[in-house]
Amino acid sequence: MRRIVLFAAAMLVAVAPNLAFAQGREVTGKVIEAGTGQPLVDATVTILGQSLGARTNEKGEYRLKVPAGDATLLARSIGYKRMSIKITSSTGTADFSLEKDVLQLEGVVVTGQA
C-alpha cells in the first residue's frame, strides 16, 4: 500500500507542471530590426524569470506557450538591445522591434617570455 501512495505522489509531482501549462495560452509574434524592419533570425523570446523560451525562424516569427495570467516577455539577439513587453491573460500577439547595440570591446594585451 505504501508503494502505491509513493508512486501516486511521484506521478503528481511529475505531472503538476504540465497541468499549469495546460491552462496557459500560445503567444505568437515577430522580432524585427528597428531601423530596417528586417526580421531577426534566431532571436530569443523568453518569459522573464523562467527558463521557457522560443527562437525566431527565418521570417522572425516565434510561438511560445505562456502560462495563464500576466507575464513579461523578453526578446534578445546578439548585437541588439533587449526589449521586454508585459502581456496580460488576453494577449495573443507580442511583436518586438530591437535596436542595434554597439558593443565596445577592450584591447587585448598579449605578453610572453622566451
Side-chain angles (χ1 to χ4, degrees), residues 39-90:
L40 291 177
V41 179
D42 281 335
T44 304
V45 179
T46 57
I47 302 170
L48 193 62
Q50 298 185 18
S51 60
L52 303 171
R55 290 207 175 270
T56 58
N57 62 17
E58 65 279 349
K59 296 177 183 175
E61 301 167 335
Y62 72 92
R63 291 183 178 283
L64 181 61
K65 189 75 168 179
V66 178
D70 298 348
T72 300
L73 300 184
L74 178 66
R76 55 187 148 188
S77 185
I78 295 174
Y80 294 87
K81 294 179 182 179
R82 297 176 180 189
M83 181 181 176
S84 62
I85 295 177
K86 292 183 181 184
I87 60 171
T88 63
S89 58
S90 62

